[in-house]
Amino acid sequence: MIRSIRSKPLADLWANGTTAKIDRRLHGRILLILDRLDASAVPEQMNLPGFDFHALRGFDPTRDTVHVNGPWCITFEFEGEDACRIDLEQYH
């Protein structure tokens, strides 16, 4: 279950299905990822074909990422069975 989202535009997209602050072409992919995060109880459940799931180095607690498009990634942590501190970042 999603507990917290860091980015206000990302939180708006999750709550309303749309936001002007994130490129419209990314909305469908981001919502698919967020829906899967909401249904996941452990980070490994995000390891799906095309998501390029991997842990980021140098973070404690462990921070994981999945690929959205181009340089955009969704990063997140898990506390218990909840996804938290979710963010949309230009990670690469």
Side-chain angles (χ1 to χ4, degrees):
M1 175 181 217
I2 291 177
R3 186 186 318 165
S4 65
I5 299 177
R6 283 178 152 172
S7 163
K8 182 165 178 12
L10 194 59
D12 289 344
L13 180 61
W14 177 240
N16 304 319
T18 188
T19 181
K21 304 218 178 198
I22 298 174
D23 187 337
R24 277 190 97 72
R25 295 173 292 184
L26 302 178
H27 286 191
R29 174 85 171 169
I30 291 170
L31 287 170
L32 174 74
I33 292 168
L34 292 176
D35 186 55
R36 183 62 189 176
L37 264 174
D38 193 46
S40 296
V42 294
E44 291 75 20
Q45 289 179 324
M46 294 300 294
N47 192 9
L48 300 171
F51 274 21
D52 189 26
F53 167 81
H54 61 278
L56 299 175
R57 291 185 217 159
F59 288 90
D60 187 29
T62 302
R63 196 152 176 76
D64 298 294
T65 185
V66 292
H67 183 73
V68 175
N69 190 357
W72 294 102
C73 293
I74 300 258
T75 59
F76 55 92
E77 297 171 18
F78 266 80
E79 285 183 1
E81 295 185 353
D82 296 330
C84 58
R85 292 178 284 288
I86 301 165
D87 207 352
L88 176 65
E89 303 181 52
Q90 282 189 321
Y91 177 70
H92 298 286

